[in-house]
Amino acid sequence: MILRPVLQDIKNIGYYLGKVILGLGMTFILPLVVAVVFKEKNPTLDFLISFSVTMLFGYLLSLICYSEEDLTWMQGMIVVSLAWGAASLFGALPLFLSGHWHSFLDAVFDSMSGFATTGLSLAQGMDKLSYAHNFWRHLIMFIGGQGIAIVALSFLVKGISGAFKMYVGEARDEKVLPNVIGTARFIWLVSIVYLVLGTLAIGFVGILEGIKPVNAFFHGACLFMAAFDTGGFAPQSQNILYYHSFSIEVITIVIMFLGAINFKLHYYVWTGNWREVYRNIEMRVLTITILAVFGISCAGLFKDASYPSAIMLFRKGFYQIISGHTGTGFMTIYPAQFKAQWNDLALTGLVLAMMLGGAICSTTGGIKILRVGIIFKALWQDIKRIIVPERAVIMQKVHHIKDLFLEDKQVRSVFLITVSYLALYFLGSLIAMFYGYGFLESLFESASAAANVGLSCGITSVDMPAGLKITYILQMWAGRLEFMSIFALLGFIWAALKGKS
């Protein structure tokens, strides 16, 4: 029997949602400082309004729903799913006020794309966007990559056991450190250290390429946040192609790869356990799948002689594969060139790369490499059960940070999430086909949205139907949270409507 939620359930959810919104509101201070430093009057006003509205809403919600009770598992997941929806709405306020988005829906699209580290964009006149608004676009990727609830866990929520329930709700079920709040702060530490190093590296290269120092380091910070958090936004409308720099392309490949790695693996490397890099099943499977999908795309690109030289194949082919596989969405070609220079076979390799994604407990999206590895290990286990004597006991072991034995419950969970992703990919494709787009381009764009990648073959534009914009927003939301929090929210709504008192 399903029970109807009581008032205390709603108060708990509202109180912690208000806390997360307050944490989000505080992040508006950073672009506000940028606007003041660069003496941008209208952007200053935009972020003051957004800061005031968000903080007021968060304060009132936490005041009205004040609760001293801890979160249950269901409540924690609902808080997270609602927090991402709220973030996309409040994060869209300064974007819409800037006048560079035609409608509030377009601004919400970009806001969700940023927080979900996707990178698809409907911005207009991006090359004339203010420093503050451009910084905000990339900052929300940095926040979303770490996790919106991580903001609350790091700064606003202290000493509660419900913290882990919010952490898991953001599709992270691994603790780097024994304490989940310590884990959240370690994730921030890793990200900020890499932010400084990445900004300096790209900034100095930018200066050598002829960019003014202030712009070089500003672009460096923005590109790092988008690359490490596998987002794909860039300060200029031409994305990475704008720079025409082999050095920047190589640096961003390294940063994208770091962003696609499990934070727990970062911890082991930081503490000197380098052996884990080549022992870990995720790193092995990631290497294999990168080679496999690049091989598929190479076969298509060679067939049509799209990129005849090795350097062109690296910069125009391999770069897109790494960008897609890590879920980043940086591009060194125009969207139209996917249709003109990539045949169906080459595009299929890239679509597969986007669908697979990177490591769990990282900033990337998609099915995730650990799940791919577990599926193949489970398949091999079943094959061995068939060929060995019936009395033999078959145990399949995988090494992920430590040795683990596969259990049916674990494999079933992996299959559930994988099937959910595949269903989401094809559902988005069907909707795009309903609006008149071809199958492969529809699948490409759907996989890019649902796997939080950001590559586009040209469908994503300000002129696409509103229904398709909403579809991609929902795909980005569901794909980033890996469904469990979404299922919890839908179950809560069903219980409220149909449950017994």
Side-chain angles (χ1 to χ4, degrees):
M1 181 176 68
I2 299 176
L3 296 178
R4 182 172 296 170
V6 297
L7 179 60
Q8 188 59 47
D9 293 319
I10 297 172
K11 288 185 67 176
N12 270 18
I13 293 168
Y15 176 71
Y16 286 100
L17 177 60
K19 286 289 187 181
V20 175
I21 292 173
L22 284 172
L24 175 66
M26 291 170 62
T27 63
F28 282 116
I29 295 173
L30 294 176
L32 183 58
V33 170
V34 172
V36 172
V37 168
F38 285 98
K39 299 178 181 179
E40 297 174 326
K41 294 182 180 179
N42 288 337
T44 299
L45 185 59
D46 293 344
F47 283 101
L48 274 175
I49 293 172
S50 302
F51 171 79
S52 302
V53 171
T54 306
M55 293 298 288
L56 179 61
F57 188 92
Y59 174 74
L60 290 176
L61 187 59
S62 59
L63 183 66
I64 294 170
C65 298
Y66 179 77
S67 173
E68 294 184 356
E69 289 192 15
D70 207 354
L71 290 168
T72 65
W73 279 106
M74 172 72 81
Q75 292 166 359
M77 291 194 170
I78 293 169
V79 168
V80 167
S81 60
L82 292 176
W84 283 77
S88 67
L89 295 175
F90 289 111
L93 289 175
L95 302 181
F96 179 63
L97 292 173
S98 73
H100 284 267
W101 281 261
H102 284 183
S103 66
F104 188 67
L105 177 61
D106 288 3
V108 171
F109 182 98
D110 272 44
S111 182
M112 178 60 81
S113 180
F115 280 114
T117 69
T118 305
L120 295 172
S121 179
L122 300 178
Q124 300 298 297
M126 190 188 303
D127 296 334
K128 296 182 180 179
L129 201 60
S130 71
Y131 284 100
H133 288 100
N134 227 333
F135 180 76
W136 176 243
R137 293 173 67 243
H138 294 84
L139 179 63
I140 60 178
M141 286 193 157
F142 197 57
I143 296 168
Q146 278 49 257
I148 293 172
I150 294 292
V151 175
L153 295 178
S154 302
F155 305 111
L156 295 176
V157 179
K158 299 180 180 180
I160 63 166
S161 61
F164 185 58
K165 294 157 190 172
M166 294 173 65
Y167 179 78
V168 171
E170 287 194 321
R172 288 196 174 109
D173 56 0
E174 292 187 339
K175 289 187 288 185
V176 177
L177 299 173
N179 184 289
V180 69
I181 297 178
T183 295
R185 289 172 181 166
F186 175 78
I187 290 174
W188 277 112
L189 174 64
V190 170
S191 302
I192 291 172
V193 169
Y194 285 148
L195 170 63
V196 173
L197 296 176
T199 299
L200 290 175
I202 298 174
F204 282 122
V205 169
I207 292 172
L208 294 176
E209 298 283 355
I211 302 175
K212 293 180 180 179
V214 172
N215 284 343
F217 287 110
F218 178 80
H219 283 222
C222 290
L223 290 178
F224 172 84
M225 287 188 282
F228 183 71
D229 292 283
T230 60
F233 281 162
Q236 303 292 145
S237 59
Q238 290 181 307
N239 208 272
I240 301 300
L241 181 62
Y242 168 82
Y243 302 97
H244 296 284
S245 170
F246 180 75
S247 298
I248 288 179
E249 290 164 19
V250 171
I251 292 172
T252 51
I253 284 176
V254 173
I255 298 172
M256 287 188 287
F257 197 79
L258 288 174
I261 295 174
N262 191 313
F263 275 109
K264 199 164 188 176
L265 186 57
H266 280 286
Y267 175 78
Y268 275 81
V269 171
W270 277 38
T271 53
N273 188 359
W274 287 86
R275 290 183 60 201
E276 187 61 35
V277 173
Y278 60 84
R279 293 183 65 203
N280 192 282
I281 185 175
E282 284 189 305
M283 297 303 295
R284 292 183 175 188
V285 175
L286 181 59
T287 302
I288 293 169
T289 54
I290 287 174
L291 293 175
V293 296
F294 183 54
I296 294 171
S297 291
C298 268
L301 295 173
F302 275 130
K303 182 176 181 294
D304 291 352
S306 300
Y307 305 121
S309 68
I311 190 66
M312 284 185 66
L313 183 64
F314 176 82
R315 300 182 68 177
K316 307 296 185 182
F318 183 72
Y319 191 93
Q320 272 38 250
I321 291 294
I322 291 295
S323 180
H325 208 317
T326 59
T328 306
F330 275 162
M331 296 176 65
T332 56
I333 61 177
Y334 294 107
Q337 288 178 284
F338 277 124
K339 294 181 181 179
Q341 298 175 348
W342 291 56
N343 59 26
D344 287 353
L345 182 59
L347 282 177
T348 298
L350 184 50
V351 169
L352 289 173
M354 292 192 292
M355 287 181 172
L356 294 174
I360 66 170
C361 196
S362 69
T363 65
T364 188
I367 292 170
K368 300 293 190 344
I369 290 303
L370 179 60
R371 296 190 180 107
V372 175
I374 288 176
I375 288 172
F376 278 99
K377 285 283 187 178
L379 178 61
W380 177 237
Q381 184 181 39
D382 286 346
I383 291 173
K384 286 197 293 185
R385 283 174 177 165
I386 295 171
I387 62 178
V388 302
E390 292 184 8
R391 294 181 180 180
V393 177
I394 304 298
M395 298 294 292
Q396 188 66 51
K397 184 173 66 174
V398 298
H399 182 82
H400 175 60
I401 307 300
K402 60 183 179 181
D403 288 337
L404 303 169
F405 290 97
L406 287 187
E407 299 176 356
D408 289 343
K409 180 181 178 181
Q410 182 185 30
V411 175
R412 186 167 61 251
S413 174
V414 165
F415 269 101
L416 173 63
I417 298 299
T418 301
V419 170
S420 296
Y421 267 112
L422 293 175
L424 189 64
Y425 295 149
F426 286 103
L427 178 61
S429 304
L430 291 175
I431 294 174
M433 290 169 66
F434 171 79
Y435 285 109
Y437 298 100
F439 170 71
L440 190 56
E441 61 179 331
S442 297
L443 182 61
F444 185 102
E445 213 80 1
S446 177
S448 183
N452 306 126
V453 179
L455 294 175
S456 175
C457 62
I459 291 179
T460 298
S461 69
V462 69
D463 298 321
M464 70 177 175
L468 199 51
K469 293 176 184 177
I470 295 171
T471 297
Y472 291 156
I473 289 172
L474 294 175
Q475 282 189 293
M476 291 186 280
W477 179 48
R480 175 59 181 83
L481 296 181
E482 296 189 0
F483 307 103
M484 289 298 103
S485 294
I486 308 299
F487 292 158
L489 177 60
L490 294 176
F492 184 82
I493 294 172
W494 177 262
L497 295 174
K498 300 292 185 178
K500 304 294 183 181
S501 301

